[in-house]
Amino acid sequence: MDKREVKEPVSFFLGVGGFHPGSPNMEYVNPGQSVLLLWGGAVSGDTIQTTVGNLQTKVGEKGHVRVEHVDRLLLSNHGSSTFEVVMSGTINPPTTVHSGDVLAEMARLLKPSGRAVVCEPTVSTDNGGTLRTAAKLSSSLKLAGLVSVSEAKEVSLSQQEHDLLKQALSVDGIQVVEISASKPSYEVGSSAQLTLSFAKKKQVEKPKLDENAAKIWSLSAVDMNDDDIDLLDPDELLDEEDLKKPDPASLKAQCGTGGDTKKRKACKNCTCGLAEELEGDQTGKSSSKPATSACGNCYLGDAFRCASCPYLGMPAFKPGEKITLTDRQLKGDI
């Protein structure tokens, strides 16, 4: 069997080596309150008894003091909102590092507006060990649901107390701090109805309408036949100039009036008829030209004429003889 070095637990009790642990801070305790004292490490029964006696004297006959080991706090059967003050690690020198579950349980046991007092050994720089800095301890109290977290206050220890802490925790540069925090003034999980007051919007008064003016725009079919209502004759709204028929020439848009007036040119989107007129003139000029044969064999007869020849069906004629074709023949409707 391998031999392993086992360190004996360090005992902090009254009368050993001349060491006398200090009493917890009594400024947070008032007469008539219920107090929970949490202890940890190898503290002797005499030390606990002396501390409880001092607390009981402070709270008086109407108050009471309960004692619980910090490692068994989660297994206790204390009800919620039982104590006004919960103190942990207040018996010097403290060796307990409070976990998040322990701090949350302390918050549950406190009454609304109750006070929690925690003393814990800390280090000045976070080195990833078991001990944390005072700032992280404050953050843990806030995460547990406590508010009004005070600044960390250093607890003065003698050189012998420092040596005992160093021997028990095997860490150098230990600094014991005391931090107090309060539970909110309401119970965890409680609810309250919110009364929301919304300011009423100032109503803007609408301008009053003339009753007679409103009636003008609300005529019905019955009102149209009422003799008491005067209606204007629409013919009276027109004078003699409005009734005159306009000259069609004045309504005709004038195209091609700019520039050279001898050569008229229709607009791109002509609507005055100039485009049709110019197109008709060109058609008339082209129709006045004599028809010429494309193949030169039209005068020989149908045997020599093309299938689209306008002279089809006509007898042969002499070359140069003037032949008049009708419009029907020119269009191919033979």
Side-chain angles (χ1 to χ4, degrees):
M1 178 180 295
D2 296 336
K3 295 182 179 180
R4 297 182 180 179
E5 181 181 359
V6 180
K7 293 183 178 181
E8 295 293 330
V10 180
S11 300
F12 300 107
F13 56 90
L14 189 63
V16 176
F19 168 64
H20 299 276
S23 299
N25 197 337
M26 295 292 180
E27 63 176 326
Y28 302 105
V29 182
N30 295 319
Q33 290 183 334
S34 57
V35 181
L36 175 63
L37 177 64
L38 301 178
W39 62 278
V43 181
S44 67
D46 294 338
T47 303
I48 298 175
Q49 184 176 0
T50 302
T51 305
V52 172
N54 295 334
L55 290 173
Q56 190 65 55
T57 302
K58 184 67 180 293
V59 299
E61 296 180 357
K62 294 183 179 181
H64 61 275
V65 179
R66 298 290 182 268
V67 182
E68 194 73 52
H69 195 280
V70 66
D71 294 337
R72 299 186 58 84
L73 179 61
L74 300 177
L75 302 177
S76 63
N77 57 356
H78 299 291
S80 301
S81 302
T82 304
F83 304 97
E84 280 89 4
V85 181
V86 176
M87 311 180 74
S88 179
T90 54
I91 302 178
N92 289 342
T95 59
T96 302
V97 177
H98 301 83
S99 64
D101 294 336
V102 171
L103 295 177
E105 183 67 11
M106 292 173 60
R108 184 186 69 85
L109 298 178
L110 282 173
K111 293 182 179 180
S113 301
R115 198 75 177 171
V117 183
V118 176
C119 289
E120 183 176 311
T122 61
V123 290
S124 58
T125 304
D126 190 5
N127 54 8
T130 57
L131 300 184
R132 54 191 165 186
T133 61
K136 286 192 173 182
L137 176 59
S138 300
S139 299
S140 299
L141 290 170
K142 295 176 182 178
L143 292 175
L146 299 174
V147 297
S148 302
V149 180
S150 65
E151 294 183 1
K153 181 173 60 175
E154 184 178 359
V155 178
S156 59
L157 299 176
S158 63
Q159 184 61 40
Q160 185 178 4
E161 292 171 348
H162 273 292
D163 295 340
L164 291 173
L165 275 177
K166 182 178 179 180
Q167 182 181 356
L169 301 175
S170 301
V171 178
D172 295 330
I174 298 176
Q175 181 182 8
V176 179
V177 296
E178 178 184 281
I179 300 178
S180 64
S182 299
K183 185 176 181 177
S185 59
Y186 52 84
E187 186 52 77
V188 177
S190 61
S191 61
Q193 185 177 2
L194 299 178
T195 56
L196 302 178
S197 58
F198 296 97
K200 295 183 178 180
K201 296 182 179 180
K202 184 178 180 180
Q203 297 181 353
V204 180
E205 296 183 358
K206 296 181 179 180
K208 295 183 179 180
L209 300 177
D210 188 2
E211 296 181 357
N212 296 329
K215 291 180 180 179
I216 294 176
W217 301 103
S218 60
L219 295 177
S220 62
V222 179
D223 296 330
M224 298 295 291
N225 298 326
D226 193 351
D227 296 336
D228 295 336
I229 298 178
D230 296 333
L231 298 178
L232 294 177
D233 187 359
D235 295 336
E236 297 180 359
L237 299 177
L238 302 176
D239 53 16
E240 294 182 359
E241 293 294 334
D242 296 331
L243 297 177
K244 288 182 179 180
K245 187 176 181 180
D247 186 6
S250 62
L251 300 177
K252 184 177 180 181
Q254 300 296 327
C255 294
T257 56
D260 189 2
T261 57
K262 293 182 179 179
K263 295 180 180 181
R264 295 188 300 169
K265 185 177 181 181
C267 300
K268 183 177 181 181
N269 299 322
C270 180
T271 58
C272 65
L274 179 59
E276 290 81 358
E277 181 181 349
L278 295 177
E279 184 179 359
D281 294 343
Q282 294 178 358
T283 304
K285 293 178 180 179
S286 60
S287 61
S288 61
K289 295 182 179 179
T292 58
S293 174
C295 61
N297 299 324
C298 298
Y299 69 96
L300 296 177
D302 290 343
F304 301 94
R305 293 169 182 167
C306 302
S308 60
C309 184
Y311 297 102
L312 286 175
M314 296 183 64
F317 54 88
K318 296 179 180 181
E321 184 179 358
K322 184 178 181 181
I323 303 300
T324 303
L325 299 176
T326 62
D327 293 338
R328 181 183 179 187
Q329 291 174 318
L330 291 174
K331 294 180 181 180
D333 300 333
I334 298 176

